[in-house]
Amino acid sequence: MKVLVIGSGGREHALVWKLRQSPRVTKIYCAPGNGGIADDAECLPVDVKSVDSLVELTNRLQPDLTVVGPELPLQLGIVDEFQRRGWRIFGPTSAAAQLESSKSFAKEFMQRHRIPTAHYAICDSMEEVRSALGHFSAPVVVKADGLAAGKGVVICATKEDAAEAAAEMLSGKMVGEAGARVVLEECLKGDELSFLVISDGERVAPLVAAQDHKRVGDGDTGPNTGGMGAYSTPAIMDNAMRDWLVQHVARPVVAGMKAEGAEYKGILYCGLMMTAKGPMVLEFNCRLGDPETQPILMRLESDLVEALEASIDGRVSDGDFKWSPDATVCVVMASGGYPGGYEVGKKITGIAEAEQVDGVKVFHAGTSKLDGDYYTAGGRVLGVTARAADLKTALERAYAAAGKINFEGAHYRRDIAARALKK
Ligand code: AMP
Ligand code: GLY
């Protein structure tokens, strides 16, 4: 079968890499892809912000299955558009994707369905913000309602800072239209965990859990990013917790969406804070996480195509997945300046040497390829991903490999999974 993957990041490279292992897949396209994906799939230029362009491209390629990486095409209704045409596509409709594309929708939905989450207030004006802040104690989290590519959340130490952040969002200065409405939230403490399930609209099957590292600096310092690294091990979540999350979060979400007339198919990504009072949902995403997908798919031993088709065809079951007990780690190498401004076009060396390290695969994110050489083309450039029987060895491998790669301005966190290793 022919498969089309939409997107251009490390997540999409991992998807292409895993799909290639399926005995059923004979051809993979990726639109638009990146420098590394071009080695594993036929890349085609496309504007992922335009559903019309994606429809036109798909009509030309006639894939048997389309897999969407990023959230934007889902929010814009690519699944609705494909379903109308009878084309097979993995992911939620635009209405179902509101769980990610509108934080106020997600918060009110969680309240309606008694899904554990932080206290919140939804505000459309500074008057509402000022009066709502009276009901919060510092620190306060201020979030833009709409999609903001990871830049729409500010954790504020004081209420004054929170009012300032909300004003900047509401004025459109910080994240444009996405900030026209804001959500204030109580600040939760604990370890974050990414718990992803696959759904067919009714049933859910969990993937192995992963932990992302959102801040740019070691020790969780500096601004938030799209994610600077992630890891997955069997110890990250025990069976009792997994079952609790399926019962109290994933199933109620899928049942609630169905009851509200927006059947949820695809990946449901539950971003959790494991607080002293139990797990609380920070956010939902309607797609695979980046960089979580890299370590998660590296632990997947069964055929990914089977699992994706089970979601489309309404027959999801735990048996769709066979997982390795290995530990996997992804260290993201980023451009100098990221998550702020950065330059692109820096030559990257050492990728082949890095992949000589046992158990290592280098997934490309913001790269391009020219005359056989790779160049930086984005903020997050590479996801150096390693697998081993234990976390310590997987980390040693990932960092040994990252040490062989060079480009001007490259930086990466040195403490991915460090807290887990101490435990
Ligand atoms: P979100 O996009 O809602 O997941 O927010 C991005 C990041 O902000 C999360 O991964 C957390 O690190 C942090 N965050 C979001 N909401 C909260 C909260 N209520 N309390 C503490 N940290 C939060
Ligand atoms: N790594 C966080 C995300 O994909 O949203």
Side-chain angles (χ1 to χ4, degrees):
M1 69 191 288
K2 295 191 287 186
V3 183
L4 168 63
V5 175
I6 292 170
S8 61
R11 165 184 52 209
E12 287 75 20
H13 194 186
L15 275 167
V16 165
W17 170 82
K18 191 68 212 171
L19 288 166
R20 261 179 68 138
Q21 296 170 17
S22 168
R24 294 178 52 205
V25 174
T26 51
K27 172 86 190 174
I28 305 183
Y29 301 105
C30 188
N34 62 38
I37 295 177
D39 298 333
D40 295 328
E42 183 178 338
C43 290
L44 298 135
V46 78
D47 176 6
V48 298
K49 295 189 291 297
S50 161
V51 172
D52 286 346
S53 311
L54 291 165
V55 164
E56 190 270 323
L57 177 73
T58 309
N59 195 33
R60 193 147 52 79
L61 302 175
Q62 296 283 317
D64 302 293
L65 172 66
T66 299
V67 186
V68 187
E71 57 276 20
L72 191 61
L74 296 167
Q75 182 197 15
L76 295 176
I78 186 172
V79 171
D80 312 60
E81 208 49 55
F82 276 40
Q83 282 177 350
R84 256 196 288 286
R85 291 173 163 78
W87 298 346
R88 286 168 76 72
I89 184 162
F90 174 78
T93 60
S94 173
Q98 278 185 93
L99 279 176
E100 174 169 5
S101 60
S102 167
K103 292 201 186 278
S104 58
F105 174 86
K107 293 299 278 191
E108 291 181 323
F109 176 88
M110 284 190 269
Q111 191 168 54
R112 282 198 293 280
H113 297 280
R114 296 194 174 76
I115 293 161
T117 190
H119 292 301
Y120 69 98
I122 297 169
C123 306
D124 291 309
S125 68
M126 277 314 287
E127 289 68 56
E128 289 174 23
V129 168
R130 277 187 216 99
S131 104
L133 277 174
H135 304 285
F136 283 83
S137 46
V140 183
V141 184
V142 183
K143 299 184 175 186
D145 185 54
L147 293 183
K151 297 190 180 78
V153 176
V154 190
I155 296 170
C156 303
T158 66
K159 291 193 193 187
E160 291 71 47
D161 291 352
E164 206 174 300
E168 246 188 90
M169 281 186 194
L170 288 168
S171 73
K173 265 185 239 153
M174 197 184 291
V175 289
E177 259 306 293
R181 164 176 283 181
V182 298
V183 177
L184 308 181
E185 260 183 46
E186 73 170 316
C187 189
L188 300 174
K189 298 220 159 22
D191 266 332
E192 280 186 56
L193 206 63
S194 304
F195 178 66
L196 283 68
V197 302
I198 191 165
S199 165
D200 61 9
E202 216 163 315
R203 284 158 292 261
V204 301
L207 278 56
V208 288
Q211 188 174 43
D212 187 11
H213 295 65
K214 290 231 166 71
R215 303 292 198 94
V216 72
D218 286 1
D220 293 327
T221 53
N224 263 342
T225 68
M228 292 298 290
Y231 75 97
S232 178
T233 65
I236 206 169
M237 178 181 287
D238 63 23
N239 293 347
M241 178 55 77
R242 184 197 59 204
D243 294 347
W244 191 93
L245 289 168
V246 166
Q247 200 185 331
H248 293 90
V249 179
R251 277 209 201 109
V253 170
V254 169
M257 291 300 282
K258 189 175 170 145
E260 295 188 11
E263 188 180 65
Y264 195 97
K265 282 185 174 211
I267 293 289
L268 175 68
Y269 167 135
C270 311
L272 305 171
M273 189 71 93
M274 309 306 270
T275 74
K277 289 191 214 147
M280 302 263 199
V281 176
L282 293 178
E283 63 163 342
F284 292 117
N285 293 322
C286 57
R287 40 139 186 110
L288 287 159
D290 191 341
E292 291 95 324
T293 300
Q294 292 84 314
I296 288 176
L297 288 188
M298 213 181 227
R299 289 187 59 200
L300 180 62
E301 293 191 326
S302 48
D303 189 346
L304 179 60
V305 172
E306 299 288 336
L308 302 178
E309 292 207 303
S311 162
I312 297 173
D313 296 330
R315 50 179 170 80
V316 160
S317 85
D318 276 336
D320 296 332
F321 296 107
K322 190 170 176 295
W323 299 103
S324 157
D326 284 356
T328 51
V329 178
C330 172
V331 175
V332 170
M333 298 185 75
S335 291
Y338 175 82
Y342 53 84
E343 290 175 9
V344 296
K346 311 292 181 193
K347 188 169 174 177
I348 308 169
T349 58
I351 293 176
E353 291 77 2
E355 290 194 322
Q356 295 293 309
V357 178
D358 236 6
V360 168
K361 169 76 190 166
V362 178
F363 293 115
H364 289 236
T367 72
S368 59
K369 193 175 186 183
L370 191 70
D371 297 332
D373 288 317
Y374 299 109
Y375 294 86
T376 65
R380 292 190 292 172
V381 177
L382 299 168
V384 182
T385 311
R387 168 179 178 163
D390 60 88
L391 181 60
K392 184 165 174 283
T393 311
L395 278 165
E396 283 165 7
R397 289 175 173 179
Y399 280 111
K404 296 183 189 295
I405 298 175
N406 282 298
F407 53 88
E408 190 190 316
H411 66 95
Y412 55 93
R413 279 182 64 162
R414 314 281 160 158
D415 66 341
I416 302 302
R419 274 212 308 279
L421 199 59
K422 268 199 209 126
K423 284 187 198 158

